[in-house]
Amino acid sequence: MNALFTFFEYLGVLVFALSGSIMAARKNMDFYGSIILAILTALGGGLIRDVMIGRIPPLMLSQGSYLAVAAAAAPIIFVFYRRLEKFHYPLRILDALGLGVFTVLGARTALAAGLISLWRTRGTSRASTSLSIPPPVPLS
């Protein structure tokens, strides 16, 4: 089962890196800009998530393979961008796929970290978070 989740982690990184690289191509960035935007798009959310739940060092930085997959997306788009833009909405399709993958993986990570508890009540699923949100501070 872990191999399946690892596959989806790499798939999500690749898809979001492709998405970031497409945006770089649309903004006429050079190859270096495409690599940077691909890496930031692919790894930024997971990096923030891991720091917020206390996973130090973050998974995306502790294993160089995630960085390599994200960086590999830039040359693919740099070479095939003209052909890819002929499809209808390639960015929307990639973003939808990436969001679906990372939503499931993010929920799994939160469950593993003990931040969400699930229970069943009369046939419906309920979720509660253990994150405490402080009350708003009045502006004076």
Side-chain angles (χ1 to χ4, degrees):
M1 192 68 156
N2 281 338
L4 181 66
F5 284 116
T6 302
F7 168 76
F8 280 115
E9 285 176 354
Y10 285 112
L11 177 67
V13 167
L14 178 66
V15 166
F16 270 135
L18 291 171
S19 176
S21 193
I22 287 173
M23 282 306 299
R26 285 185 180 173
K27 298 297 180 181
N28 296 320
M29 291 185 177
D30 62 352
F31 185 67
Y32 180 72
S34 181
I35 290 174
I36 295 299
L37 203 54
I39 290 171
L40 289 176
T41 305
L43 303 181
L47 180 80
I48 292 170
R49 179 204 61 216
D50 287 351
V51 169
M52 288 182 70
I53 66 172
R55 184 190 290 173
I56 304 294
L59 179 65
M60 303 298 180
L61 295 179
S62 65
Q63 295 182 6
S65 56
Y66 290 104
L67 184 64
V69 169
I76 294 170
I77 296 300
F78 206 74
V79 171
F80 296 110
Y81 176 69
R82 300 275 184 236
R83 292 183 190 147
L84 188 64
E85 276 299 306
K86 292 179 184 177
F87 294 107
H88 293 286
Y89 310 112
L91 190 63
R92 288 184 187 177
I93 293 168
L94 291 172
D95 279 346
L97 181 61
L99 284 171
V101 168
F102 278 151
T103 298
V104 172
L105 293 174
R108 179 180 178 262
T109 303
L111 281 169
L115 298 176
I116 299 175
S117 61
L118 297 174
W119 71 93
R120 293 205 161 246
T121 305
R122 296 183 197 171
T124 61
S125 294
R126 307 258 179 176
S128 71
T129 61
S130 61
L131 298 174
S132 60
I133 300 173
V137 177
L139 300 173
S140 53

